[in-house]
Each structure stands twice: as structure tokens, then as C-alpha cells.
Amino acid sequence: MWRSKFTTEILQQIVIDSNNTDPQVTKDVTIRSWSIEPFSKTRVGFLGDHHSLEIIYHCLESDWKEREKKDRFFVKSLPTSMPSFTNYLKETHTSIKEIAIYRHLMPLLLGLSNRRFAPRCYYLQDEDGLLVMEDLSLQNFRVKSGTFDLAHLEQALQSLASLHAASIRLETLQGRTVAEQFPELIAENAWLHREGYPRVAELEDNILCLVAYARELYGDERERCQRLLERLPRVMRQMYDLVQPSKTYRNVFSHADLWNNNILFRYLSHEDDTGGISKGRPFGTGSAAAAAAEAPSSESQPVDCVLVDFQLSRFVPPAYDFNMLVTLTTAGHRTFLRKHWHHLQETYYKSLKLQLNQHNASDTSACSGIEHIPSFDEFKASCEHYRKAGALDSFIINYMVLLPAGCLDETFASPDLYDAFRGETKCAKMLQLLRSHTKYRNTMKDIVDNIIETFQI
């Protein structure tokens, strides 16, 4: 239904706003035609439907000649095929939050960064959860499937540091925290412990699956298995506390949903060797156990990174995002992460300081932001605390998205099957998949082992 709301005036404004840095495009824009197609034949995300908007238009350029041009945009909306899922997204305010962030906060943050860390948005519409954004695939951005190597982790951490630096910079200039300026935008909507809230039942489903996986993976060790089954539910419920703003460490505007599909990389080569988003990477693809940890070839070396999907953002210390990113994207390779842990911390922290120092040097009217940066020792201490969040998030997200391709396509394509995919039914299905796929099983064992080690169970 939202397609009918794209009036000529709206399409003209999208074209004008998207070309605001191009002196060749003026307000003399005449829309000739436009079309909307699915962005991919297969699902490329979870919390919404994705489409491609193509606009053909004539414009009067600076030489006073009229020329025909064509632009393509990425469109995100509430899903329409599963009413119960749409209601779930409305109840959890995911689309409302992202639209509000792009309307009020993101323009400020992007204006305070020397590095673009998020896509630009050109049109917003609340009722249908509609966002029209730049199509990053046209700039050769794509998803990196499987395990991130050092080159990809470094690029991702630099973009993450830019986001956090912009948050600190905004607070320095305004004299108030992001939470004070935009309380509704960063209010917790993922793990809100409130009666009747949909994600309370979702966390309990996660607990059922975690306990079932532990019983399957450690059933031969009777005493150890019994200890895990008793303690893991309480461990998982610590998420409610871990997502709250810290009273010890400095908080920042946090992405808080940093799995592979929400981190896009740009490459010098146009060869898509990862099954990336430009070709429609299916939801639920990418086995971490199957990915190599060696450095990529020069053709696949990432040169830029952008973060997408700000639907679960919150106000927590930088270490929350740091742990989430490096833990989720290296799942199944804890040895690799241990080896490079200190280097990754340094990469993030140096990037954070560089961003803040560059802005301080260019703006003599602003007070120095150096004193507002947590020390490296404080950052490392906070990283140790938020290892717990990273370990739990790695299970909560990866036990679904690391499944071999196609395992849940039918479930998410049928309203009836989706509605039934909960509780013991969901647990039984996931346990069946664990038993059926060796690579997935090995990766999940590494993830559960990490929870056991981190919480010293």
C-alpha cells in the first residue's frame, strides 16, 4: 500500500536531496518514470522488507541543457507478508526507533564525523516504517559472509569508533548526554523486562534453545551438564542488566546489533566473492566454521565500512559494541580472537582518539574533548565487563543467522509456520538442525564454550 504514497513531489525531493553535493542537479527535476522491485530474490535482513526504487528523471544542468538521468535507492519498510511479525515489530518499536534516529539524531552525528559510518537517508514515513536510503551496493558495498579476518575487523572497528566519537562530540558541544537530549530514541527496546513485552518470551525461547544445546553438547558429562542446565537460564537473564546504561563507565550512542549483515564493506574490486548483498545474500547464510581466518587477497581487501540497521540502538559504554562486533563476527574461532584481542582493542581506541582529536583541531570554539575520552586502561576494563554481553549476544543472534542457507526459509515465508515457531516447537526444530549440520554444530559448541568460560560456570 505504501507504494501509492510516492507522489511526484516526494520523488522529486528524493532526487534533489540525494544530489545535494552534485552541482549538476538543480531543483528543475521532472520525474519521467519510477519503479519498485524486491531488492533481492531472497531475504537479506530480518526486521523489515527491502526493495529497490529506480527513478528516471530529466533535470536542467548548469549549462542550461536538459538531460535524462537514472538513480536507484534502497527502500526499507515494515514486512507485509506476516501480520503477526509486523505487529511484533510495532510492539517493539524497531522501525519507529530507526526512523526517529534518522530524522533527529543521525544527521547530527554524521555531521560531526570525518568518516561516514552510516548510509544517508532521503525520505522517512512513520506509518509504514518507510526509509528511502542511498543504495550502497552501487558503491560496491556488500556483506562479508562468514568469519571476519583482521582487515575486515579493523575497518569495522574504525567505523564503530567514528560513530562513538560523534556521540561524544555531540555531548561535548551540547553539554548534555545523548540520553538527555534524545531519551526516546535510545530507550531500550530489545531486552526490556516488562510483563507482556514480546521479547521477554523471545529471551525465554533463547534460554530453551541454549539449555537444549548444552544438553546435546555436554550430555556425556553428567555432573557438568547438570550444572550447566541449572545455571544457564540465570546467566542468560543477565541480558536485562547488561543492556542498561552504565553507572561506572562513560556511555555513548550504541549500534547494538552488530552481526554480519549489518556491517557492509566497500572493496576496490567489483568481483563479489562473498555472496554479498549486491547479489542478495540470503538470510541465515554464512557458516563461521567454513570461513578462513587468513588475510584476504588484494582483490578483496576492504577499503571502507558502513553500519546499517539502527533499530535496537541503546545508550551503553563503547565496550558493549566492541565486544558484540568482534565476538559475533569471529564465532567459532575463539583462538583467533584471543590472539588478536589486544590489537583489536588498540585499533578501536586509536581510531576513537583520532576522530576526536581531528575535530578538536578543526574547531577552536569547542572545548577540548581529550578529557572526555575514557583512558585506554578504563576501556580495557570495560571490555572485560562486557565480554559477558558479547558472549550472550553471540548465541542469541548467531544460533539463528549461522544456520546453513535455506534452513528457515519456509518458516519465515509462511504466516502460520512463523506464528508456530516459538517455545518447544522452535526448540525442537533448532535442536534437529544442530544434529543435522556438523559445521553449524561445531560453531555453536565454540559459542556455548565461550559462555561457560566467560561466566565461569
Side-chain angles (χ1 to χ4, degrees), residues 20-72:
N20 62 358
T21 59
D22 184 355
Q24 298 298 313
V25 179
T26 72
K27 290 190 176 182
D28 296 307
V29 171
T30 302
I31 304 300
R32 295 303 186 193
S33 65
W34 62 281
S35 61
I36 294 178
E37 301 291 340
F39 187 73
S40 167
K41 293 180 180 179
T42 51
R43 179 175 288 275
V44 295
F46 183 54
L47 301 180
D49 285 348
H50 300 143
H51 313 270
S52 182
L53 167 65
E54 184 176 275
I55 305 176
I56 298 175
Y57 60 95
H58 284 194
C59 64
L60 190 65
E61 297 188 343
S62 58
D63 59 2
W64 300 103
K65 292 183 179 180
E66 188 175 272
R67 290 182 173 84
E68 182 174 281
K69 293 192 172 185
K70 180 172 65 175
D71 287 344
R72 198 173 82 197

Side-chain angles (χ1 to χ4, degrees), residues 145-178:
S145 61
T147 306
F148 284 11
D149 53 31
L150 274 181
H152 287 84
L153 286 168
E154 288 167 354
Q155 283 290 340
L157 289 172
Q158 288 170 35
S159 290
L160 184 63
S162 298
L163 168 67
H164 295 163
S167 174
I168 294 173
R169 174 71 173 163
L170 180 63
E171 293 185 351
T172 301
L173 292 175
Q174 297 295 327
R176 293 184 299 160
T177 68
V178 170

Side-chain angles (χ1 to χ4, degrees), residues 55-309:
I55 305 176
I56 298 175
Y57 60 95
H58 284 194
C59 64
L60 190 65
E61 297 188 343
S62 58
D63 59 2
W64 300 103
K65 292 183 179 180
E66 188 175 272
R67 290 182 173 84
E68 182 174 281
K69 293 192 172 185
K70 180 172 65 175
D71 287 344
R72 198 173 82 197
F73 304 91
F74 178 78
V75 181
K76 186 175 182 180
S77 69
L78 285 170
T80 56
S81 59
M82 293 180 289
S84 61
F85 186 44
T86 303
N87 291 334
Y88 163 84
L89 296 179
K90 289 180 178 179
E91 289 180 52
T92 55
H93 305 291
T94 54
S95 63
I96 292 173
K97 169 176 274 194
E98 185 169 37
I99 288 173
I101 285 171
Y102 267 101
R103 179 177 285 132
H104 301 292
L105 179 57
M106 192 60 72
L108 297 175
L109 296 177
L110 288 172
L112 291 171
S113 178
N114 294 332
R115 176 179 176 132
R116 181 181 56 157
F117 49 77
R120 300 177 183 90
C121 184
Y122 306 123
Y123 178 69
L124 302 162
Q125 196 251 86
D126 295 271
E127 183 180 352
D128 300 300
L130 199 65
L131 296 97
V132 178
M133 317 178 83
E134 60 180 321
D135 186 344
L136 293 170
S137 69
L138 298 177
Q139 303 168 42
N140 203 35
F141 279 92
R142 62 180 186 265
V143 165
K144 166 71 173 75
S145 61
T147 306
F148 284 11
D149 53 31
L150 274 181
H152 287 84
L153 286 168
E154 288 167 354
Q155 283 290 340
L157 289 172
Q158 288 170 35
S159 290
L160 184 63
S162 298
L163 168 67
H164 295 163
S167 174
I168 294 173
R169 174 71 173 163
L170 180 63
E171 293 185 351
T172 301
L173 292 175
Q174 297 295 327
R176 293 184 299 160
T177 68
V178 170
E180 291 169 336
Q181 296 176 64
F182 305 100
E184 294 183 0
L185 270 62
I186 53 84
E188 181 61 33
N189 66 321
W191 305 122
L192 186 61
H193 202 185
R194 187 174 67 199
E195 186 177 355
Y197 193 66
R199 288 183 64 103
V200 172
E202 187 174 334
L203 190 69
E204 293 304 309
D205 283 356
N206 294 334
I207 291 172
L208 278 177
C209 291
L210 176 59
V211 168
Y213 280 26
R215 185 183 291 110
E216 175 72 17
L217 296 170
Y218 308 100
D220 292 340
E221 306 172 57
R222 184 173 179 179
E223 290 186 8
R224 185 188 188 194
C225 183
Q226 185 60 37
R227 184 172 70 251
L228 294 176
L229 302 186
E230 292 173 356
R231 298 185 184 180
L232 283 174
R234 292 196 300 273
V235 163
M236 181 65 80
R237 294 187 186 106
Q238 290 186 36
M239 284 303 301
Y240 293 119
D241 294 324
L242 288 167
V243 298
Q244 298 303 312
S246 174
K247 297 179 180 179
T248 304
Y249 305 107
R250 175 165 190 159
N251 302 293
V252 295
F253 176 71
S254 165
H255 184 284
D257 194 16
L258 293 162
W259 64 289
N260 290 49
N261 272 26
N262 289 344
I263 307 169
L264 274 60
F265 296 95
R266 183 168 66 86
Y267 300 85
L268 292 177
S269 167
H270 286 267
E271 179 185 357
D272 190 342
D273 59 356
T274 64
I277 197 167
S278 60
K279 290 187 177 179
R281 176 174 179 254
F283 171 75
T285 63
S287 172
E294 293 99 27
S297 65
S298 59
E299 288 78 18
S300 60
Q301 190 82 5
V303 296
D304 198 3
C305 175
V306 168
L307 310 176
V308 299
D309 285 357

